[in-house]
Amino acid sequence: MFLKCNRRLKDGKEHRYWSIVESRRCAGGQVVQRPVLYLGEINDSQRESWCRTLEAFDPQRDRTLPLAIFAADRPLPEHAAGFGVQVHLDRMELHRPRQWGACWLATQLYEQLGLDGFWAGRLPDSREGTCWRDILQTLVCYRLIDPGSEWRLHRLWFEQSAMGDLLGRDYALVEKNALYRTLDKLLEHKPALFSHLQERWRDLFGAKFDVLLYDLTSTYFESVPPDNEQDKRRFGYSRDQRPDCVQVVIALIVTPEGFPLAYEVMPGNTADKTTLKEFLQKIETQYGKAQRIWVMDRGIPTEAVLQQMRQSDPPVFYLVGTPKGRLSQLEAQLLKLDWQAVRPGVDVKLLPQPQELYVLARSRDRVNKERAMRQRQLTALCKRLAQLRQMTLTPRQLLLKLGEARGRYRAAWRLLDMQLPASESPKAATFSFRLNRDKLRAVRRREGRYLLRTNLCGRDPAELWQFYIRLTEIEAAFKNLKDDLALRPIYHQLEHRVQAHLFVAFIAYCLHVTLRARLRPLAGGLTPRAVLDKFAAMQMLDVHFPTTDGRTLILTRYTQPQTDQNLLLDRLGLTLPAQPPPRITAAGQRLR
């Protein structure tokens, strides 16, 4: 990198504009210069009328002063005495490169959701001057941009980011104990935040809350099981395939557009079917009674809860998947009905029942997908079984390998009839298998079909089907929380800090959803993570210019956005802030 001067004559005066550029060697030996930092204009006129000044912070006087900057190769004009500073342009240095763009974008999303104002009245500064709300904002932006532990934030990430510059804070903001103590102050404000978010989703995106998607997931801990029986970290059914670890269950409610409305942390041994009744009461208590439609997967509601929803005043509507056994019970009645097309590639059968309606849906795309998945698994299983038949194995060895194959290809295994060897035979074991075509035909009849039940008896079947397939939004929410926002590993040992950790991740997910909602009308395939990575390429640097009087002029500048970043800024309606004001050190002061 080097300093480049662009000269321009205007009204008989010479203007010099300075930039830091880098040279890039391209194909054919061509060298192209890319501007990295624009530093602006350096005074080059002897005329007082054109003397350009700027405000710089002087730590020696503890206040801002007007300064006029001149190159050291020109004499200082008489009219600039007292506020003119000559700098050695040829001794320019770059210090402290740090990530700026993604941090700035995260703070913009934080402000768009009104979270700065929400927390201002709820997290006042401590008597020692600790700004809890700025610490929380740093935790949330860190979780969105580059998630990790609080210790990593304290030890490494804060110094490599521009969060301190954006918030006007120094390293004391991420003092280790202050990070943990901030978590202790959050949980009591969770209901108020849910109400605040509902208003912001409505104001920003016109969100509606008459249809709610409800589902559960779990997250596990590698820590030792707690001794306290009231602790929520318990062994239970693990959706992460880690039954050996304690866990908590997370219940989440989102709209069909993906806007999160509320969540709850439950003990790890909580059964899905026991959660709905309590959650219905919480939503009615916080948001009042309304004719909402609850969309859920099978296994969540019980018959007693569904009966209660039908008999409540006003009634609570539901659309829920059913276990496969229910389809077997109703198969004879459904076979007599005709398919109705609700949209290209999707057909339904409607089976009215007292106070309910059963909807059998068939999606051709889903049929093709499930058929291809089954075919791949069946082919792989048969290939593995053929390999085992070529091996010389004892009965015990063969059974172990067959058990391994069964665990890997469970769905395909059910379609085969196996003739296994006697385990007590001392000879080399042999076995045979063949495809059970009756089972295959039964499976093919149900591929791409799912049975729904609802008390919305007068609604359009196409609308009901559309409601149900939006459950993919809540599955995507869980995936983003666990993968993109790195919900785990969780290092906290205190239960309330575990819950506060999940609370911070929830707020970060709200920023993620806000950015996704902004991007959706612009480009459906553009993800929030891709945009954050684009902006993360924008760095902030400190440009140091030694002065002729032994001081150092420091220009803190973020790098100029490139074409793709400018395009995103324009489409998102965002405007970059002004470059930070310069600083000038006292004579002999050591730079840190």
Side-chain angles (χ1 to χ4, degrees), residues 345-577:
V346 179
D347 304 314
V348 298
K349 289 183 178 182
L350 304 180
L351 179 61
Q353 296 287 302
Q355 297 183 310
E356 280 190 315
L357 176 68
Y358 283 91
V359 181
L360 178 63
R362 176 182 66 183
S363 169
R364 295 173 191 171
D365 290 340
R366 186 69 185 177
V367 168
N368 295 333
K369 179 179 178 180
E370 292 185 6
R371 192 159 291 175
M373 291 169 60
R374 174 184 50 76
Q375 186 62 40
R376 283 196 300 269
Q377 193 172 107
L378 189 58
T379 301
L381 175 59
C382 291
K383 181 179 178 180
R384 177 57 177 163
L385 294 178
Q387 292 174 347
L388 295 180
R389 293 186 65 178
Q390 302 300 320
M391 299 180 183
T392 303
L393 302 170
T394 66
R396 178 178 175 79
Q397 291 173 331
L398 177 61
L399 290 176
L400 289 174
K401 291 186 178 295
L402 288 176
E404 179 188 9
R406 179 182 180 181
R408 184 178 300 179
Y409 309 108
R410 286 187 178 277
W413 184 276
R414 301 187 188 102
L415 304 178
L416 300 180
D417 291 333
M418 305 290 298
Q419 186 67 36
L420 301 178
S423 58
E424 63 274 4
S425 174
K427 300 180 180 179
T430 59
F431 72 99
S432 62
F433 64 92
R434 67 181 181 86
L435 180 65
N436 189 317
R437 299 190 178 277
D438 292 335
K439 291 182 179 179
L440 178 62
R441 280 191 287 268
V443 169
R444 287 175 63 91
R445 281 198 304 268
R446 295 189 176 183
E447 285 175 338
R449 296 167 172 81
Y450 40 90
L451 184 65
L452 313 177
R453 63 187 296 189
T454 179
N455 58 346
L456 291 164
C457 300
R459 301 296 279 265
D460 182 6
E463 187 179 21
L464 297 176
W465 177 80
Q466 190 68 35
F467 285 160
Y468 188 73
I469 65 170
R470 297 310 293 246
L471 277 175
T472 55
E473 286 290 343
I474 203 165
E475 295 171 0
F478 290 142
K479 184 177 186 300
N480 284 322
L481 281 167
K482 292 184 176 183
D483 297 341
D484 196 40
L485 301 181
L487 186 65
R488 57 164 314 280
I490 302 174
Y491 300 100
H492 300 286
Q493 300 300 315
L494 301 179
E495 183 190 352
H496 70 277
R497 286 186 179 170
V498 169
Q499 295 199 50
H501 171 92
L502 300 177
F503 190 31
V504 170
F506 174 80
I507 300 174
Y509 179 66
C510 291
L511 302 190
H512 182 281
V513 169
T514 302
L515 181 56
R516 185 182 63 180
R518 294 290 191 196
L519 295 172
R520 185 176 289 142
L522 306 179
L526 193 58
T527 65
R529 179 53 54 193
V531 173
L532 286 167
D533 289 343
K534 285 285 186 185
F535 278 96
M538 296 180 67
Q539 299 286 301
M540 175 167 275
L541 303 100
D542 292 338
V543 187
H544 289 198
F545 288 105
T547 67
T548 56
D549 58 2
R551 295 184 290 174
T552 301
L553 179 68
I554 305 174
L555 300 179
T556 300
R557 294 291 183 265
Y558 57 78
T559 56
Q560 296 300 297
Q562 299 187 29
T563 303
D564 52 352
Q565 294 161 344
N566 272 321
L567 180 60
L568 286 171
L569 289 169
D570 177 66
R571 299 298 292 160
L572 291 171
L574 298 174
T575 303
L576 292 176

Side-chain angles (χ1 to χ4, degrees), residues 1-2 4 19-26 31-38 537-539 541 559-565:
M1 293 186 186
F2 61 94
K4 181 179 179 181
S19 299
I20 297 174
V21 299
E22 67 173 355
S23 295
R24 289 188 175 182
R25 187 169 296 278
C26 304
V31 177
V32 177
Q33 295 177 351
R34 184 180 75 87
V36 177
L37 288 177
Y38 175 70
M538 296 180 67
Q539 299 286 301
L541 303 100
T559 56
Q560 296 300 297
Q562 299 187 29
T563 303
D564 52 352
Q565 294 161 344

Side-chain angles (χ1 to χ4, degrees), residues 244-263:
D244 58 316
C245 297
V246 291
Q247 65 177 19
V248 293
V249 171
I250 303 173
L252 179 66
I253 295 178
V254 303
T255 69
E257 294 76 26
F259 298 115
L261 187 62
Y263 81 97

